[in-house]
Amino acid sequence: MATTAEDVHPVDEIPPPRQLAAFGLQHVLAMYAGAVAVPLIVGGALRLSAADLAYLITADLLVCGVATLIQCVGLWRFGVRLPIMQGCTFAAVSPMVLIGTTGGGLPAIYGSVIVAGLAIVLLAPVFGRLLRFFPPLVTGTVILIIGVSLLPVAGDWAAGGVGAKDFGAPRNLALAAFVLAVVLGVQRFAPAFLARVAVLTGIVAGLVVAVPFGFTDFGGVADADWVGISTPFHFGAPEFRVSAIVSMLVVALVTMTETTGDLIAVGEMTGRKVDPRSLADGLRADGLSTVLGGVFNTFPYTAYAQNVGLVGMTRVRSRWVVAAAGGLLVLLGLLPKLGAVVAAVPAPVLGGAGLVMFGTVAASGLRTLAGVDFRGNQNLTVVAVSVAVGMLPVGVPTVYAKFPDWFQTVMNSGISAGCLTAIALNLLFNHLPKRAPREAPALAEGA
């Protein structure tokens, strides 16, 4: 039975079971491709066997689900209790590949991940006190950058997925356009409930079209195991190497910055503003999930910006919907055969849905900026330069290739680069004391 009391905030409302399942599945489909990409990339770079790769993916999905439940439901001072989906951060991919391929292997990766997670837990209160440096000028800019920086991901999916032999084929883009048209049509003409699952409806419609036209097959489902349980330290006891830990601590700072932007964005969209205490609780959940990742054979976790767009687009603000998505991820992690079914959704189908979701995030940033005063100040400069710096690694991925690894880790993420720039420029133009204008010398009396 739905909770409809007037004093219950929309974030805390519990929809009926059928709606919970549909809304939750929609969130899972929106983030699944990104969630499995990190273990695929890292495992591929380390030349793991197909069996070990499958193990990494199921472990990742299991911890994704647990991390999402911690973030949405909350556990003491862990969890922001907002509709936030958790997944492996891409900011850690390059450092982890470097650690794994220079002799450390997975044990050295997991040792550094555990230390980074503990560091995030300890630093969370410090980041919580920095919330005053995120006025609407900064948060609107960061939300805008999050949305725009994700659009190339949707473009890659729409074209067939990075590395696809038929990347950019007209039929891929046609399928993505069909899904986009279905999503928009459902939003415009369907009843209210169906409009809220427009993305799920578009993905299902796209899958119905994709199967007979040969975009995908379910052959992998038959090969997948029915049950798979991730055990701690499956690849050996963790190794704690100083160089690996230092690089992962840099990643931790980047993910904390990105998560801060995502939490503030969801707070704006749901009407429950994030305060210093809840921000610290959300970051602690990131840290705890990252420690669990190191123990259960997966990687660092962060809030997933893909799902921020889904919250804004569907206007479904209940954290229990995303908690249901976390439960589905736990099932996918324990039942590899179910995971194989979801994995069969072709990239162009996700691309069509992603275009509208990620565009919604960018539009939400513009809505926040609409309340900012741009007259008689340098706020326009803050937005302009921050967006430019944030888009630089998105448009030119190799722009920082000649820089040190730690610098690349920070600046290759358009979200963290733009966020840091926005904070710095806001401090420069709006917080530092302004130089007093020099007065003209007084004229001598009688002159």
Side-chain angles (χ1 to χ4, degrees):
M1 186 174 176
T3 304
T4 56
E6 290 182 6
D7 58 341
V8 175
H9 193 281
V11 167
D12 297 318
E13 286 183 358
I14 304 176
R18 187 180 299 177
Q19 293 184 20
L20 267 179
F23 294 151
L25 179 59
Q26 191 168 234
H27 273 281
V28 170
L29 291 173
M31 61 83 69
Y32 188 89
V36 301
V38 174
L40 280 174
I41 294 168
V42 175
L46 270 58
R47 300 172 187 255
L48 298 183
S49 66
D52 284 343
L53 268 178
Y55 191 93
L56 276 185
I57 291 171
T58 54
D60 172 40
L61 293 173
L62 175 64
V63 181
C64 271
V66 173
T68 299
L69 288 168
I70 293 171
Q71 193 69 275
C72 296
V73 178
L75 180 68
W76 188 53
R77 294 296 303 278
F78 294 85
V80 72
R81 295 167 175 83
L82 284 172
I84 294 286
M85 203 83 179
Q86 297 284 107
C88 280
T89 174
F90 283 86
V93 169
S94 296
M96 289 192 300
V97 169
L98 189 64
I99 294 167
T101 55
T102 53
L106 285 171
I109 291 175
Y110 293 140
S112 64
V113 167
I114 290 170
V115 174
L118 293 172
I120 292 172
V121 172
L122 294 174
L123 290 173
V126 177
F127 258 71
R129 287 194 288 270
L130 297 178
L131 195 60
R132 62 194 179 94
F133 297 115
F134 287 85
L137 172 65
V138 173
T139 59
T141 303
V142 171
I143 296 168
L144 173 61
I145 292 170
I146 290 172
V148 177
S149 65
L150 285 171
L151 286 173
V153 176
D156 285 335
W157 289 346
V162 176
K165 294 179 180 178
D166 61 344
F167 186 86
R171 75 187 210 122
N172 290 339
L173 295 170
L175 179 57
F178 168 74
V179 172
L180 176 59
V182 171
V183 171
L184 296 176
V186 170
Q187 275 203 303
R188 174 63 181 84
F189 300 108
F193 167 69
L194 201 57
R196 290 183 170 185
V197 289
V199 170
L200 178 59
T201 306
I203 290 174
V204 171
L207 194 56
V208 168
V209 171
V211 172
F213 282 94
F215 282 91
T216 188
D217 64 73
F218 293 93
V221 178
D223 299 332
D225 295 328
W226 278 104
V227 179
I229 299 175
S230 180
T231 54
F233 308 124
H234 174 80
F235 295 99
E239 296 178 9
F240 300 95
R241 302 190 177 194
V242 175
S243 59
I245 290 170
V246 170
S247 63
M248 204 55 67
L249 288 175
V250 175
V251 171
L253 293 174
V254 173
T255 58
M256 291 178 82
T257 304
E258 291 184 349
T259 295
T260 298
D262 290 332
L263 297 186
I264 291 171
V266 172
E268 294 270 351
M269 291 176 179
T270 58
R272 177 176 278 177
K273 296 290 180 71
V274 173
D275 57 27
R277 178 186 170 114
S278 58
L279 174 59
D281 291 348
L283 292 172
R284 279 194 199 93
D286 263 16
L288 176 59
S289 303
T290 297
V291 172
L292 291 176
V295 172
F296 286 94
N297 320 294
T298 178
F299 308 113
Y301 285 85
T302 187
Y304 251 33
Q306 288 95 316
N307 297 83
V308 174
L310 192 55
V311 171
M313 195 197 93
T314 62
R315 296 189 292 280
V316 176
R317 297 181 279 177
S318 171
R319 61 191 172 106
W320 297 104
V321 163
V322 180
L328 287 173
L329 284 173
V330 171
L331 276 178
L332 293 177
L334 294 174
L335 304 173
K337 204 171 278 290
L338 275 181
V341 172
V342 177
V345 177
V349 171
L350 296 174
L355 286 171
V356 66
M357 287 193 305
F358 304 159
T360 300
V361 179
S364 298
L366 292 176
R367 183 175 60 190
T368 301
L369 289 173
V372 175
D373 184 10
F374 288 97
R375 295 169 297 179
N377 54 43
Q378 302 299 322
N379 286 344
L380 195 63
T381 301
V382 174
V383 176
V385 176
S386 301
V387 171
V389 173
M391 291 302 99
L392 197 56
V394 176
V396 189
T398 57
V399 66
Y400 300 121
K402 304 294 185 185
F403 284 74
D405 290 337
W406 67 266
F407 187 89
Q408 291 186 52
T409 300
V410 176
M411 299 302 290
N412 273 344
S413 165
I415 297 171
S416 64
C419 184
L420 293 173
T421 304
I423 294 170
L425 292 181
N426 179 56
L427 288 173
L428 175 65
F429 287 114
N430 295 322
H431 286 270
L432 292 181
K434 294 179 173 60
R435 182 184 298 173
R438 296 179 62 182
E439 296 183 7
L443 294 175
E445 278 188 52

